[in-house]
Amino acid sequence: MSDRTTDPTPGTHAASGTHAASGTAVSAAESAEAFWDERYNQSGRLWSGEPNAALVRETEGLTSGSALDLGCGEGGDAIWLARQGWRVTATDISRVALARAAEHADQAGVADRVDWQHHDLGASFPAGSYDLVCAQFLHSLHEMPREQILRAAAAAVAEGGTLLIVGHMGFPAWETEPHPGVDFPTPEKVLASLDLPAGQWDVLACETHEHSLTAPDGAPSTRTNYTVKLRRRFSR
């Protein structure tokens, strides 16, 4: 899927499933894949190419292994992880984004460390288990089974592995016509919705934080985001 929510600023991109584009109306008849293919085709680069700050912060100190990036967009996070030594499976709903991401990975010299897969995460999900599963800014203007996707993400975490979920708490301040159908759950609600088995996970973070960004008119602004980070315990 393709779900990286838009903050039009350097160093920021959204997660994939279907990016919730600020100020963009979405027809109910339009598929999420068509919407994102069209949006990516409108410019040569939609996102900055830099990794999300939360990913860099929350993976510090982790031993590199296998990683799953849900909603990779143009590949900024996946390529950064590959550069840190991770073997990455990266998914998106947009084939245009995936093709662009593969080109960027080749330019970065990490093409052999990333497996790009096309998925509408509400209909299909990558196979296997991973040491790190990332779902960042998984919001959508289209109907999307977000809780189902995040539970599948948790199920894909290997023993001793980490689940990282990052999201927005609302639209940016300059959004004058917010879309009422877009859900921005609190980190506590996200954690509860995972319905994790008791005694099998450690909660490392469940918190909100302010993210600095630049509004379309160039003025400085902030947006409240959240981080949910968990580690799956080893079975006894």
Side-chain angles (χ1 to χ4, degrees), residues 138-189:
L138 195 65
H139 308 290
S140 180
L141 296 180
H142 293 81
E143 184 176 349
M144 179 181 67
R146 188 171 185 273
E147 293 183 355
Q148 169 192 317
I149 294 168
L150 292 181
R151 287 172 186 161
V157 178
E159 290 187 357
T162 300
L163 173 63
L164 178 63
I165 303 170
V166 181
H168 293 306
M169 293 290 289
F171 285 102
W174 62 81
E175 175 60 77
T176 57
E177 297 181 1
H179 304 279
V182 179
D183 180 33
F184 292 105
T186 64
E188 292 79 12
K189 183 177 179 180

Side-chain angles (χ1 to χ4, degrees), residues 59 62-65 78-86 110 113:
T59 57
L62 293 182
T63 300
S64 59
I79 291 169
W80 182 84
L81 285 168
R83 282 173 163 163
Q84 311 311 306
W86 295 83
V110 295
R113 301 196 65 83

Side-chain angles (χ1 to χ4, degrees), residues 187-210:
E188 292 79 12
K189 183 177 179 180
V190 171
L191 181 59
S193 71
L194 293 174
D195 195 24
L196 299 172
Q200 295 185 19
W201 293 80
D202 294 316
V203 179
L204 305 181
C206 184
E207 59 194 21
T208 61
H209 46 88
E210 293 298 309

Side-chain angles (χ1 to χ4, degrees), residues 79-146:
I79 291 169
W80 182 84
L81 285 168
R83 282 173 163 163
Q84 311 311 306
W86 295 83
R87 302 180 310 279
V88 187
T89 297
T91 77
D92 204 275
I93 197 172
S94 169
R95 297 182 191 274
V96 176
L98 288 169
R100 194 171 293 174
E103 291 179 4
H104 295 164
D106 186 55
Q107 293 165 3
V110 295
D112 61 335
R113 301 196 65 83
V114 187
D115 176 19
W116 307 101
Q117 295 187 12
H118 177 256
H119 287 278
D120 175 340
L121 294 174
S124 65
F125 199 89
S129 60
Y130 304 85
D131 301 306
L132 172 66
V133 177
C134 301
Q136 301 191 76
F137 304 107
L138 195 65
H139 308 290
S140 180
L141 296 180
H142 293 81
E143 184 176 349
M144 179 181 67
R146 188 171 185 273

Side-chain angles (χ1 to χ4, degrees), residues 2-5 14-21 35-36 40 47 73 92 139:
S2 179
D3 232 32
R4 295 198 180 264
T5 321
S16 231
T18 314
H19 311 222
F35 172 81
W36 284 104
Y40 278 108
W47 311 113
D92 204 275
H139 308 290

